[in-house]
Amino acid sequence: NAGVTQTPKFQVLKTGQSMTLQCAQDMNHNSMYWYRQDPGMGLRLIYYSASEGTTDKGEVPNGYNVSRLNKREFSLRLESAAPSQTSVYFCASSEIAGVGVKGTQYFGPGTRLLVL
Amino acid sequence: LAKTTQPISMDSYEGQEVNITCSHNNIATNDYITWYQQFPSQGPRFIIQGYKTKVTNEVASLFIPADRKSSTLSLPRVSLSDTAVYYCLGREVYSGGGADGLTFGKGTHLIIQP
C-alpha cells in the first residue's frame, strides 16, 4: 500500500516549456487535491476533484490545468511554465471532500519544480 | 469558514509539554478544527480534529473551549523529532462534498531543543 505517489520528484524547466505532474493513490479515495508550497509559506490549493469526473478551482488556479484521469489518478499540467511557478507541489487524497475521519487528507512526498 | 491565526514560531525543550494556540474568532457552527504536522521535505500529516471540548489520541490532545473562538493543540513530553510546522485549519462541513476552507496558512514552526 503505497498511499499517494507523485512523479517526478524533481524537475527543471525553462520558461515557456510545458509539463505534467502525475499523482496516483491506492486508497480508493474519492477526492484528490493539488497544492503548491512556496518558501516560508503555507500550502495553497490549486485545484481539487471532489469525485471522479469533477474538478474545481482552488485558491490559485491560474496557469494550471488538471485532469482526473480515473479514480486513482489526478494530474496537474503547466502549459507554459513561468518562474513564478517555481514551487513544491503536493498532491493529496481523502475519502471524501469534507471533515471528519473520512475527510482526512493524505499527502504525497511532493514534486520540486524549478522554472528558469 | 473560519479564518485562523496562530503564532509564527515557538521554542521548547525535550520532555516539556507544548501548547500551540490557534485563534478563530469567526468560526461558524459547522466548522471543525483540524491540525496537521509537516516535517521538512515532506507533505503534511493529519494529527487531530475536534469540534468542541477535548479530543485526545496517541499523538496529541486538542482543547476547544465552549465559545470555540480558539483551540489549543497540546503535545505531551516533546522530543527533537517533534520539530516541525503545525497547521491549524477551520473546515466547514458540506453535505454534498466540497473543499472550501482548505487554506493551510503559514503554520507554527515548532523548534525543540535538547
Side-chain angles (χ1 to χ4, degrees), chain A residues 43-86:
Chain A
L43 286 85
R44 291 182 293 172
L45 183 66
I46 304 172
Y47 272 94
Y48 70 97
S49 171
S51 60
E52 186 179 357
T54 68
T55 59
D56 286 285
K57 295 178 180 179
E59 184 184 355
V60 288
N62 292 342
Y64 306 94
N65 287 301
V66 291
S67 295
R68 183 75 183 266
L69 304 171
N70 48 55
K71 192 172 186 179
R72 289 187 64 248
E73 298 172 290
F74 189 38
S75 64
L76 179 71
R77 182 160 179 83
L78 287 70
E79 291 290 351
S80 179
S84 61
Q85 293 178 304
T86 293

Side-chain angles (χ1 to χ4, degrees), chain B residues 37-40 79-86 109-113:
Chain B
Q37 173 191 56
Q38 185 179 25
F39 296 114
S79 64
L80 296 177
S81 63
D82 290 314
T83 293
V85 179
Y86 292 82
H109 189 190
L110 176 64
I111 299 172
I112 305 300
Q113 302 181 44

Side-chain angles (χ1 to χ4, degrees), chain A residues 33 35 37 41-45 59 92 94 97-100 103-107, chain B residues 1-7 20-28 30-38 43-52 62-64 68-73 85-93 98-108:
Chain A
Y33 315 80
Y35 292 87
Q37 185 171 37
M41 302 290 289
L43 286 85
R44 291 182 293 172
L45 183 66
E59 184 184 355
S94 62
V99 294
T104 298
Q105 292 188 42
Y106 296 84
F107 284 79
Chain B
L1 175 62
K3 176 177 167 57
T4 59
T5 303
Q6 52 184 123
I20 305 175
T21 297
C22 178
S23 298
H24 26 83
N25 291 320
N26 66 334
I27 191 168
N30 289 337
D31 285 348
Y32 279 66
I33 300 301
T34 308
W35 285 82
Y36 282 81
Q37 173 191 56
Q38 185 179 25
R45 182 183 70 155
F46 171 85
I47 302 178
I48 198 165
Q49 182 180 83
Y51 185 78
K52 61 181 178 181
L62 178 61
F63 301 91
I64 304 175
R68 305 201 325 119
K69 293 185 182 298
S70 66
S71 58
T72 300
L73 175 72
V85 179
Y86 292 82
Y87 297 97
C88 167
L89 285 77
R91 293 285 314 280
E92 187 169 353
V93 174
D100 283 359
L102 285 171
T103 300
F104 277 70
K106 297 183 180 180
T108 296

Side-chain angles (χ1 to χ4, degrees), chain B residues 6-27:
Chain B
Q6 52 184 123
I8 295 295
S9 64
M10 292 181 67
D11 294 330
S12 188
Y13 295 90
E14 283 191 293
Q16 299 293 307
E17 177 184 79
V18 171
N19 296 310
I20 305 175
T21 297
C22 178
S23 298
H24 26 83
N25 291 320
N26 66 334
I27 191 168

